[in-house]
Amino acid sequence: MTRPLLIENARIIDPASGTDAKGAVLVENGLISDIALGAPVGVPEDAEVVNANGLILAPGLIDMRVFTGEPGKEYRETLASAGEAAAAGGVTSFVMMPDTSPVVDDGALVDFLIRRAKATSKVNVLPSGAITKGLAGQEITEFGLLQEAGAVCLTDGRHSIQSSALLRTVMSYAANYGMTVIHHVSDQSLTGDGVMNEGLFATILGLKGIPREAETIPLARDLQLAALTGAKYHAAQISCAASVDLMAAAKKRNASITSGISINNLALNENDIGRYRTFFKLGTPLRSEDDRQAVIEGLRSGAIDTIHSDHDPQDTEVKRQPFAEASDGAIGLETLLAAALRLHHSGDVDLMTILRAMTSRPAEILGLSSGRIAKGAPADLILFDLDYPWQVSERDLRSRSRNTSFEGARLAGKVMRTIVGGETVHVHIE
Amino acid sequence: MAQARASKTTSSAASSGDFPPFSQRHLLSIADLKQHEIVDLLDRAEAMVPVSRQERKSHPTLSGKTQINLFFEPSTRTQGSFEIAGKRLGALVMNMSVKTSSVSKGETLVDTAATLNAMRPDVIVVRHSAAGAVELLSQKVGCAVINAGDGAHEHPTQALLDALTIRNHKGRISGLTVAICGDIANSRVVRSNLLLLGALNVRTRVIAPRNLLPAGIEHLATEVFTDMREGLRDADVVMMLRLQHERANGRMIPSVREYYRFYGLDAEKLSFAKPDAIVMHPGPMNRGVEIDPAIADGPASVITDQVEMGVAVRMAVLDALLPARNEI
């Protein structure tokens, strides 16, 4: 039995309840047992007391899109190293994509991952189950058995299902179990061998472009199928103005659809690629600044529900290549919060909205009890300094891979303490 | 056929000492060059022309230097041109093609760069199928790097030799109208040419079927046409591009026959350009696809002059870059 933990003198921000007030939180047996706003809370005698000194106390972040190297490519990332990075970044739970080797398309593997994560990771690892066997987009997996084993959602990760008929079956069948289908929207025939956003900049660089329609055409289809089947549908990551419009229009008619966005698409644009910088080569390409402004507005208006890191560790070998030949992906667990806070510091999005997109909204979409500061909820919490200035250096990051899109970036906002299930798993040391 | 102008040079051998030091470390992209640097390279190239025309084709300013031609894509024309250019300047030239390199055994470009760098070359000339590959390689070596074509990105020496050819035949470049016709979307020659000609105040036109025009091209060219006759009207220079055969047969265009009908340069279409317009082609040509053989070999064609200017431009670039490297 661990000692009770009292965090006092904090600015408590809980998007689930809309709370933003000074107060204290008491943690007992891994759960939040009491919350006191303004008035002091009753403190057990043996409690460990943490004086937050006015730092923000928020629910731990829930990252809905994280790729790991384990199993299969442990040299890129293990559940342990991803857990270290997550804890340092304030992520207390992350949804692990099924794109591993072997693919997580079987209940036994989900079971293994849960046990392995409990043994090695500092944070909660939430396995997803593959929608199709081997992520091949042909045969659907055992949704019910995956759910029984502990899969929190269904997704084919970075793969996109091309067949409308198959996707209809997927959504209909997933609705039996109330499982959220998270789908990466990408029309492969339009994407072709494109490697960045289609436009003038791609033309100047001589690189093949990916038109926005490669995203909006399958998104429009998916939204219609979601309405047809009644599925809980989540567009994994959208990136452009037209997708925001599609989501906003569809949400007026269908309450069970949601969408997410990678922090990369919120914080960066295609010009960051500069002279073929492959750390900016991402599965969903960085779009124009106009698109970035539109997705920021989408986040403000609620057309976009969640922000995730799209953490995708890639080793040097596959990134130090000519742009078109380099692998997609960037790490992001450790920079997620600070990069998102750029939107707050720039005055684009209020703090509550930003935190909601990384706490209570993912929890609602996945049916989790965490993601909120409420009595009886898991004590997954973070204390962070909203204005703490720091510069990202790949040497300091905890991931096994170094492919950060924010290398050298000056950020404001740092996680000072991360608590998972009542246990402190990370403390920032100067 | 018009003869190349050689006003800069009075003696039979060019002298690099006539020019101020060149400030660039590599030649990766026309976009890196300032207008005066472009003009400087053209002047240097013009001074090199007599070297190739004299009986003893030697101007050994690069004696003792090592030049590696690293070609990941086959290119008889460009590779040969760089080889001759290096040898006429007295450099030790080594050709490496992809089939004999370790790349086919899985070695990465960066590994290859490190290996070559250890051989202490003075300049590496690189052709690669991926845009940006030459830039990546340049970051990993200590010597000068020349881009001999990277994917659909750039081919700077081609643009320089085109400009030199135009200047020789027209007496100037600024103020002319240059029409570039063909597969604009996939051409590295176009990008370098639009950047270079734009920097020299040339009115640039691109002409292609709409699906061979890349996004945003209207920001790079002065005018964009899908109709050949309209695009060629009153042009001073007509630059044709090679059509890659894999784009025909229903993939990007329905057939070679249809392409030639609407976008092949024949006498009738050429009649829309100025009477003294010159016709260029970076080669190798598909006669009867993008150009009528009678035009390719006719009086307006300066295509073989382009080849000659190619050697001069490459000599100039090698000569300009290597002394600059010595000073660093």
Side-chain angles (χ1 to χ4, degrees):
Chain A
M1 191 72 97
T2 54
R3 291 165 63 196
L5 171 68
L6 177 76
I7 304 164
E8 62 179 13
N9 196 20
R11 177 184 170 192
I12 299 172
I13 299 185
D14 176 42
S17 59
T19 302
D20 183 352
K22 274 191 94 172
V25 165
L26 183 64
V27 171
E28 291 176 294
N29 302 321
L31 303 175
I32 296 167
S33 62
D34 204 357
I35 304 158
L37 302 180
V41 67
V43 188
E45 271 187 18
D46 59 340
E48 177 191 355
V49 178
V50 172
N51 186 341
N53 290 319
L55 293 180
I56 293 174
L57 180 66
L61 308 185
I62 300 169
D63 189 337
M64 286 185 65
R65 190 175 169 90
V66 169
F67 296 89
T68 65
E70 185 177 3
K73 288 193 167 65
E74 284 80 358
Y75 59 92
R76 289 185 180 171
E77 192 84 289
T78 60
L79 296 178
S81 63
E84 291 278 350
V91 174
T92 52
S93 302
F94 66 78
V95 177
M96 179 188 152
M97 294 292 104
D99 312 40
T100 48
S101 182
V103 169
V104 187
D105 58 3
D106 184 277
L109 196 50
V110 172
D111 182 61
F112 162 77
L113 285 170
I114 289 171
R115 286 186 285 112
R116 176 85 180 146
K118 274 196 178 135
T120 64
S121 177
K122 284 182 169 180
V123 306
N124 302 308
V125 177
L126 310 173
S128 58
I131 295 172
T132 63
K133 291 177 186 170
L135 307 173
Q138 301 292 325
E139 302 168 65
I140 65 171
T141 57
E142 297 160 327
F143 295 176
L145 292 175
L146 284 166
Q147 188 180 39
E148 271 189 2
V152 297
C153 60
L154 297 164
T155 179
D156 266 2
R158 59 170 72 85
H159 296 257
S160 188
I161 294 169
Q162 301 298 295
S163 163
S164 303
L166 181 71
L167 198 58
R168 179 185 180 175
T169 302
V170 167
M171 289 196 198
S172 300
Y173 190 59
N176 289 330
Y177 303 99
M179 293 183 85
T180 302
V181 174
I182 301 179
H183 192 223
H184 178 63
V185 281
S186 172
D187 183 312
Q188 285 171 9
S189 63
L190 277 174
T191 299
D193 49 3
V195 294
M196 66 174 289
N197 183 44
E198 184 173 281
L200 174 62
F201 195 45
T203 295
I204 289 171
L205 291 177
L207 295 173
K208 288 271 171 63
I210 301 172
R212 293 163 182 81
E213 287 72 13
E215 176 176 305
T216 56
I217 290 172
L219 178 62
R221 173 199 63 175
D222 288 10
L223 294 172
Q224 291 176 67
L225 290 175
L228 177 68
T229 58
K232 287 171 71 179
Y233 170 83
H234 181 77
Q237 44 183 23
I238 64 176
S239 67
C240 59
S243 293
V244 173
D245 293 343
L246 282 168
M247 282 304 307
K251 277 187 164 215
K252 287 177 185 165
R253 300 186 297 271
N254 187 348
S256 62
I257 55 169
T258 51
S259 68
I261 187 164
S262 158
I263 185 60
N264 300 314
N265 289 102
L266 278 171
L268 308 166
N269 69 30
E270 60 182 345
N271 295 304
D272 286 300
I273 290 168
R275 297 190 80 151
Y276 304 102
R277 296 165 70 194
T278 56
F279 284 2
F280 297 90
K281 183 166 187 266
L282 305 168
T284 298
L286 296 174
R287 300 290 185 184
S288 68
E289 179 59 15
D290 285 348
D291 283 310
R292 193 180 79 88
Q293 291 298 330
V295 292
I296 288 171
E297 174 55 33
L299 183 65
R300 273 198 300 259
S301 68
I304 295 173
D305 300 86
T306 64
I307 305 170
H308 55 255
S309 68
D310 197 21
H311 182 82
D312 193 357
Q314 302 287 337
D315 58 280
T316 308
E317 184 88 347
V318 297
K319 273 294 186 184
R320 279 171 58 187
Q321 297 278 356
F323 195 88
E325 296 169 8
S327 292
D328 294 340
I331 58 170
L333 274 166
E334 208 164 330
T335 48
L336 173 62
L337 177 64
L341 290 175
R342 273 186 171 180
L343 301 174
H344 160 73
H345 293 300
S346 64
D348 286 319
V349 186
D350 68 80
L351 191 54
M352 190 70 82
T353 301
I354 292 169
L355 290 175
R356 179 181 298 118
M358 296 185 289
T359 58
S360 59
R361 283 305 284 147
E364 288 159 13
I365 291 164
L366 298 168
L368 306 175
S369 55
S370 56
R372 69 209 67 217
I373 298 180
K375 279 187 190 178
D380 295 347
L381 300 163
I382 54 172
L383 268 177
F384 68 93
D385 182 337
L386 185 59
D387 299 310
Y388 187 96
W390 61 293
Q391 188 169 14
V392 180
S393 169
E394 65 174 37
R395 289 191 309 273
D396 301 332
L397 298 178
R398 289 156 177 83
S399 287
R400 283 203 175 178
S401 294
R402 296 282 176 244
N403 53 315
T404 171
S405 302
F406 293 97
E407 171 65 14
R410 293 176 188 280
L411 302 172
K414 188 90 178 169
V415 175
M416 296 298 167
R417 181 183 288 257
T418 303
I419 298 160
V420 176
E423 299 282 342
T424 296
V425 294
H426 170 79
V427 175
H428 176 67
I429 298 164
E430 290 289 330
Chain B
M1 197 169 288
Q3 290 297 301
R5 204 163 54 115
S7 59
K8 272 275 174 187
T9 311
T10 50
S11 64
S12 60
S15 167
S16 61
D18 294 342
F19 298 97
F22 194 67
S23 63
Q24 298 285 335
R25 176 186 169 94
H26 308 294
L27 181 63
L28 303 176
S29 164
I30 293 294
D32 296 334
L33 300 178
K34 297 177 180 68
Q35 187 192 48
H36 73 85
E37 290 173 324
I38 293 170
V39 173
D40 175 63
L41 284 175
L42 295 178
D43 289 345
R44 284 171 187 263
E46 199 165 271
M48 289 294 181
V49 172
V51 176
S52 296
R53 290 182 178 175
Q54 66 198 16
E55 191 175 354
R56 183 178 170 79
K57 299 174 174 48
S58 175
H59 179 56
T61 55
L62 301 192
S63 177
K65 305 278 187 183
T66 304
Q67 170 189 341
I68 296 178
N69 294 338
L70 179 62
F71 277 60
F72 294 89
E73 276 188 340
S75 166
T76 311
R77 184 177 295 248
T78 304
Q79 187 169 344
S81 184
F82 270 109
E83 183 176 357
I84 287 173
K87 285 180 172 169
R88 283 187 182 160
L89 294 176
L92 173 69
V93 183
M94 186 180 86
N95 287 313
M96 285 184 67
S97 66
V98 69
K99 280 180 184 165
T100 56
S101 83
S102 313
V103 173
S104 55
K105 298 173 192 162
E107 187 177 83
T108 68
L109 182 67
V110 173
D111 294 336
T112 304
T115 303
L116 289 179
N117 196 46
M119 296 178 191
R120 303 281 175 197
D122 297 287
V123 59
I124 304 178
V125 179
V126 190
R127 160 73 60 93
H128 198 283
S129 60
V134 184
E135 169 111 22
L136 175 64
L137 189 138
S138 75
Q139 295 162 8
K140 309 295 176 188
V141 296
C143 66
V145 173
I146 298 172
N147 183 359
D150 62 329
H153 177 223
E154 281 221 42
H155 192 357
T157 56
Q158 178 70 43
L160 287 163
L161 75 88
D162 288 341
L164 185 61
T165 307
I166 293 170
R167 194 170 79 170
N168 286 339
H169 282 273
K170 294 292 178 187
R172 66 191 170 108
I173 300 178
S174 179
L176 297 176
T177 298
V178 176
I180 309 175
C181 180
D183 185 356
I184 307 295
N186 298 288
S187 170
R188 51 186 163 227
V189 174
V190 163
R191 283 165 184 74
S192 289
N193 262 304
L194 289 177
L195 291 168
L196 189 152
L197 296 170
L200 298 182
N201 304 314
V202 171
R203 187 180 181 88
T204 54
R205 297 174 177 174
V206 293
I207 313 166
R210 195 167 293 282
N211 55 341
L212 293 180
L213 289 169
I217 190 68
E218 66 277 9
H219 297 290
L220 297 178
T222 315
E223 294 170 290
V224 180
F225 294 90
T226 55
D227 183 281
M228 188 101 172
R229 292 169 185 82
E230 283 179 29
L232 292 183
R233 194 179 299 279
D234 296 327
D236 295 289
V237 177
V238 182
M239 204 179 277
M240 301 305 297
L241 299 175
R242 176 180 171 81
L243 180 76
Q244 305 293 321
H245 279 289
E246 65 266 24
R247 305 197 203 293
N249 304 323
R251 294 187 188 277
M252 294 293 283
I253 56 167
S255 68
V256 164
R257 185 176 68 164
E258 174 152 319
Y259 185 81
Y260 181 68
R261 170 77 178 79
F262 293 96
Y263 295 97
L265 185 68
D266 55 21
E268 187 272 329
K269 295 193 193 85
L270 182 59
S271 70
F272 284 81
K274 281 186 179 166
D276 63 344
I278 57 171
V279 173
M280 306 176 76
H281 193 301
M285 283 179 284
N286 294 304
R287 286 182 167 84
V289 178
E290 68 264 358
I291 192 164
D292 184 332
I295 301 295
D297 305 324
S301 169
V302 297
I303 294 167
T304 52
D305 287 7
Q306 288 175 268
V307 179
E308 183 184 12
M309 293 309 110
V311 174
V313 157
R314 282 148 190 153
M315 288 170 75
V317 169
L318 287 166
D319 193 49
L321 288 180
L322 292 189
R325 293 289 303 135
N326 286 342
E327 286 169 13
I328 290 172

